[in-house]
Amino acid sequence: MTGPSDPVFQYLAGQMRPGHPALIEAFLREGDAAIAARAPRLDIPYGPHERERFDLFAAPGAAATLLYLHAGYWQGRDKAQFRFLAPPFVDAGFNVALANYPLCPDASLAALTASVRRAVPAVLNAAGGTGGLVAIGHSAGAHLAAELALTDWDGPSPVTAIIGLSGVYDLDPLRATPLNDRLGLDAEAARAASPVHRVKPHMPPAIFAVGGDETPAFRAQTGAMHAAWRAAGNIAHEIVVPGADHFSLLRHLADPASSLFAAIAPLAAPRA
């Protein structure tokens, strides 16, 4: 039986809300409307795997490209559920790409992460190759966004900022949950895959956000990553959105009147 101190509660049961299925259905409907109104390029390949595909919503004269990486604990969900996020950011001056990636256990977490790295040059090339890339990820996607920032790229990093939403940055607690049936992490692999332990100087600016109504474990994950980023001498901001849970947080993300959107929008400005 799970309780508030149990990892299953903290990362699974305690995060569920009765309204989530209806919310995801609304996201899908709004995503379909975004396709009809904005005519994006869909399912652009960046690799041979059937899930190595991204959508691109172009913004005329964009100075930066936002790459969105979806939630799903590295083993579920799809970019189609989150296309609704694109229009307000296109209107703010971003190109917006939403990427799928191979899922565990079809791919290992290491292979999945390498796949997302391969998406970066493909996205920038499709977007016209100008400006930087802002990596924004939700939950598992926030982990992947952090991994993009920590990548030793061949030359200057193409990642100019990251936004982590309700991220999991220390994977060790997941070993005590059913999520690990597909992730297959032992203690060593979990630590190696946890970006909170590998933050270094000279990283891009970061925003780490979480809903105020999320479980203590998720709020702690965000606080720890924010602290690690700053401790290494990097710029980071932590945002706790009152009243938001794990998925309603995305409503704030897509709301031009929200403080979360306001913190992200300036990242579309040209690099100095």
Side-chain angles (χ1 to χ4, degrees), residues 235-262:
I235 296 171
H237 303 282
E238 182 179 8
I239 299 175
V240 179
V241 180
D245 63 41
H246 198 63
F247 281 102
S248 67
L249 180 66
L250 299 182
R251 285 297 192 203
H252 295 263
L253 174 66
D255 180 2
S258 75
S259 59
L260 180 56
F261 189 96

Short mmCIF file of all heavy atoms in Angstrom, two decimals, residues 235-262:
data_model
loop_
_atom_site.label_atom_id
_atom_site.label_comp_id
_atom_site.label_asym_id
_atom_site.label_seq_id
_atom_site.Cartn_x
_atom_site.Cartn_y
_atom_site.Cartn_z
N ILE A 235 23.33 30.88 -14.61
CA ILE A 235 22.10 31.64 -14.38
C ILE A 235 20.92 30.68 -14.36
O ILE A 235 20.75 29.87 -15.28
CB ILE A 235 21.90 32.70 -15.47
CG1 ILE A 235 23.02 33.74 -15.43
CG2 ILE A 235 20.54 33.39 -15.31
CD1 ILE A 235 23.02 34.70 -16.60
N ALA A 236 20.11 30.74 -13.32
CA ALA A 236 18.93 29.89 -13.23
C ALA A 236 17.86 30.60 -12.43
O ALA A 236 18.15 31.36 -11.50
CB ALA A 236 19.27 28.55 -12.57
N HIS A 237 16.62 30.34 -12.80
CA HIS A 237 15.46 30.88 -12.09
C HIS A 237 14.51 29.74 -11.77
O HIS A 237 14.26 28.88 -12.62
CB HIS A 237 14.76 31.94 -12.93
CG HIS A 237 15.65 33.08 -13.35
ND1 HIS A 237 16.00 34.09 -12.49
CD2 HIS A 237 16.28 33.33 -14.51
CE1 HIS A 237 16.81 34.93 -13.12
NE2 HIS A 237 16.99 34.50 -14.35
N GLU A 238 13.99 29.73 -10.58
CA GLU A 238 13.00 28.74 -10.17
C GLU A 238 11.63 29.41 -10.08
O GLU A 238 11.50 30.48 -9.49
CB GLU A 238 13.36 28.14 -8.81
CG GLU A 238 12.39 27.06 -8.34
CD GLU A 238 12.78 26.45 -7.01
OE1 GLU A 238 13.73 26.97 -6.37
OE2 GLU A 238 12.14 25.48 -6.58
N ILE A 239 10.64 28.78 -10.70
CA ILE A 239 9.28 29.30 -10.68
C ILE A 239 8.35 28.22 -10.16
O ILE A 239 8.30 27.12 -10.73
CB ILE A 239 8.83 29.75 -12.09
CG1 ILE A 239 9.74 30.87 -12.61
CG2 ILE A 239 7.37 30.20 -12.07
CD1 ILE A 239 9.45 31.28 -14.05
N VAL A 240 7.63 28.51 -9.10
CA VAL A 240 6.59 27.62 -8.58
C VAL A 240 5.25 28.28 -8.90
O VAL A 240 4.99 29.41 -8.46
CB VAL A 240 6.74 27.39 -7.06
CG1 VAL A 240 5.63 26.48 -6.56
CG2 VAL A 240 8.11 26.79 -6.74
N VAL A 241 4.44 27.59 -9.70
CA VAL A 241 3.17 28.16 -10.16
C VAL A 241 2.06 27.73 -9.20
O VAL A 241 1.69 26.54 -9.16
CB VAL A 241 2.85 27.71 -11.59
CG1 VAL A 241 1.52 28.30 -12.05
CG2 VAL A 241 3.98 28.13 -12.54
N PRO A 242 1.52 28.64 -8.41
CA PRO A 242 0.48 28.26 -7.44
C PRO A 242 -0.74 27.64 -8.11
O PRO A 242 -1.18 28.09 -9.18
CB PRO A 242 0.11 29.60 -6.78
CG PRO A 242 1.29 30.49 -7.02
CD PRO A 242 1.83 30.08 -8.35
N GLY A 243 -1.25 26.57 -7.50
CA GLY A 243 -2.47 25.96 -7.99
C GLY A 243 -2.33 25.05 -9.19
O GLY A 243 -3.31 24.44 -9.62
N ALA A 244 -1.13 24.95 -9.74
CA ALA A 244 -0.92 24.13 -10.94
C ALA A 244 -0.48 22.73 -10.55
O ALA A 244 0.31 22.54 -9.63
CB ALA A 244 0.11 24.77 -11.85
N ASP A 245 -0.98 21.73 -11.30
CA ASP A 245 -0.52 20.36 -11.11
C ASP A 245 0.35 19.97 -12.30
O ASP A 245 0.74 20.82 -13.12
CB ASP A 245 -1.68 19.39 -10.89
CG ASP A 245 -2.64 19.30 -12.07
OD1 ASP A 245 -2.18 19.28 -13.23
OD2 ASP A 245 -3.87 19.25 -11.85
N HIS A 246 0.64 18.68 -12.44
CA HIS A 246 1.64 18.23 -13.40
C HIS A 246 1.26 18.56 -14.84
O HIS A 246 2.15 18.84 -15.66
CB HIS A 246 1.84 16.72 -13.24
CG HIS A 246 3.11 16.22 -13.85
ND1 HIS A 246 4.36 16.61 -13.42
CD2 HIS A 246 3.33 15.33 -14.87
CE1 HIS A 246 5.29 15.98 -14.13
NE2 HIS A 246 4.70 15.21 -15.01
N PHE A 247 -0.01 18.53 -15.18
CA PHE A 247 -0.41 18.85 -16.56
C PHE A 247 -1.08 20.20 -16.69
O PHE A 247 -0.93 20.86 -17.74
CB PHE A 247 -1.30 17.74 -17.13
CG PHE A 247 -0.51 16.55 -17.59
CD1 PHE A 247 -0.44 15.40 -16.81
CD2 PHE A 247 0.20 16.58 -18.78
CE1 PHE A 247 0.31 14.31 -17.22
CE2 PHE A 247 0.96 15.49 -19.20
CZ PHE A 247 1.01 14.36 -18.43
N SER A 248 -1.79 20.67 -15.68
CA SER A 248 -2.37 22.01 -15.80
C SER A 248 -1.27 23.08 -15.84
O SER A 248 -1.51 24.20 -16.29
CB SER A 248 -3.34 22.29 -14.66
OG SER A 248 -2.69 22.35 -13.40
N LEU A 249 -0.06 22.74 -15.42
CA LEU A 249 1.08 23.65 -15.56
C LEU A 249 1.25 24.08 -17.02
O LEU A 249 1.66 25.22 -17.29
CB LEU A 249 2.36 22.96 -15.07
CG LEU A 249 3.65 23.76 -15.15
CD1 LEU A 249 3.60 24.96 -14.20
CD2 LEU A 249 4.86 22.88 -14.80
N LEU A 250 0.90 23.20 -17.96
CA LEU A 250 1.06 23.54 -19.37
C LEU A 250 0.08 24.61 -19.81
O LEU A 250 0.34 25.31 -20.80
CB LEU A 250 0.91 22.29 -20.24
CG LEU A 250 1.95 21.18 -19.97
CD1 LEU A 250 1.73 20.02 -20.93
CD2 LEU A 250 3.38 21.71 -20.08
N ARG A 251 -1.04 24.75 -19.13
CA ARG A 251 -1.95 25.86 -19.42
C ARG A 251 -1.27 27.19 -19.12
O ARG A 251 -1.43 28.17 -19.86
CB ARG A 251 -3.23 25.73 -18.59
CG ARG A 251 -4.20 24.66 -19.09
CD ARG A 251 -4.71 25.01 -20.47
NE ARG A 251 -5.83 24.19 -20.89
CZ ARG A 251 -6.15 24.00 -22.15
NH1 ARG A 251 -5.42 24.57 -23.12
NH2 ARG A 251 -7.18 23.26 -22.48
N HIS A 252 -0.51 27.24 -18.04
CA HIS A 252 0.23 28.45 -17.71
C HIS A 252 1.34 28.70 -18.73
O HIS A 252 1.59 29.84 -19.12
CB HIS A 252 0.82 28.34 -16.30
CG HIS A 252 -0.20 28.27 -15.23
ND1 HIS A 252 -0.61 29.38 -14.51
CD2 HIS A 252 -0.92 27.21 -14.74
CE1 HIS A 252 -1.53 29.02 -13.64
NE2 HIS A 252 -1.74 27.72 -13.75
N LEU A 253 1.99 27.62 -19.16
CA LEU A 253 3.05 27.74 -20.15
C LEU A 253 2.55 28.42 -21.43
O LEU A 253 3.26 29.23 -22.03
CB LEU A 253 3.60 26.35 -20.49
CG LEU A 253 4.63 26.28 -21.62
CD1 LEU A 253 5.92 27.00 -21.23
CD2 LEU A 253 4.93 24.81 -21.97
N ALA A 254 1.33 28.08 -21.85
CA ALA A 254 0.80 28.58 -23.12
C ALA A 254 -0.01 29.86 -22.97
O ALA A 254 -0.61 30.31 -23.95
CB ALA A 254 -0.06 27.50 -23.76
N ASP A 255 -0.03 30.45 -21.79
CA ASP A 255 -0.83 31.65 -21.54
C ASP A 255 0.05 32.89 -21.58
O ASP A 255 0.87 33.12 -20.67
CB ASP A 255 -1.51 31.53 -20.17
CG ASP A 255 -2.36 32.75 -19.83
OD1 ASP A 255 -2.46 33.68 -20.66
OD2 ASP A 255 -2.93 32.77 -18.71
N PRO A 256 -0.08 33.73 -22.61
CA PRO A 256 0.77 34.93 -22.70
C PRO A 256 0.64 35.88 -21.52
O PRO A 256 1.51 36.74 -21.31
CB PRO A 256 0.30 35.60 -24.00
CG PRO A 256 -0.25 34.47 -24.81
CD PRO A 256 -0.91 33.56 -23.80
N ALA A 257 -0.42 35.73 -20.73
CA ALA A 257 -0.60 36.60 -19.57
C ALA A 257 0.03 36.04 -18.30
O ALA A 257 0.03 36.71 -17.27
CB ALA A 257 -2.10 36.83 -19.32
N SER A 258 0.61 34.82 -18.36
CA SER A 258 1.16 34.20 -17.16
C SER A 258 2.60 34.64 -16.91
O SER A 258 3.32 35.04 -17.82
CB SER A 258 1.12 32.67 -17.29
OG SER A 258 2.12 32.21 -18.18
N SER A 259 3.00 34.53 -15.66
CA SER A 259 4.39 34.88 -15.31
C SER A 259 5.37 33.88 -15.92
O SER A 259 6.50 34.25 -16.25
CB SER A 259 4.54 34.91 -13.79
OG SER A 259 4.21 33.66 -13.21
N LEU A 260 4.95 32.62 -16.08
CA LEU A 260 5.83 31.63 -16.69
C LEU A 260 6.10 31.98 -18.15
O LEU A 260 7.25 31.96 -18.60
CB LEU A 260 5.19 30.24 -16.57
CG LEU A 260 5.97 29.06 -17.18
CD1 LEU A 260 7.37 28.96 -16.59
CD2 LEU A 260 5.20 27.75 -16.94
N PHE A 261 5.06 32.29 -18.90
CA PHE A 261 5.25 32.69 -20.30
C PHE A 261 6.11 33.95 -20.38
O PHE A 261 7.01 34.05 -21.22
CB PHE A 261 3.90 32.93 -20.97
CG PHE A 261 3.97 33.15 -22.46
CD1 PHE A 261 3.76 32.10 -23.33
CD2 PHE A 261 4.23 34.41 -22.98
CE1 PHE A 261 3.83 32.30 -24.71
CE2 PHE A 261 4.31 34.62 -24.35
CZ PHE A 261 4.09 33.55 -25.22
N ALA A 262 5.86 34.89 -19.50
CA ALA A 262 6.61 36.15 -19.52
C ALA A 262 8.10 35.92 -19.27
O ALA A 262 8.94 36.64 -19.81
CB ALA A 262 6.04 37.11 -18.48
#
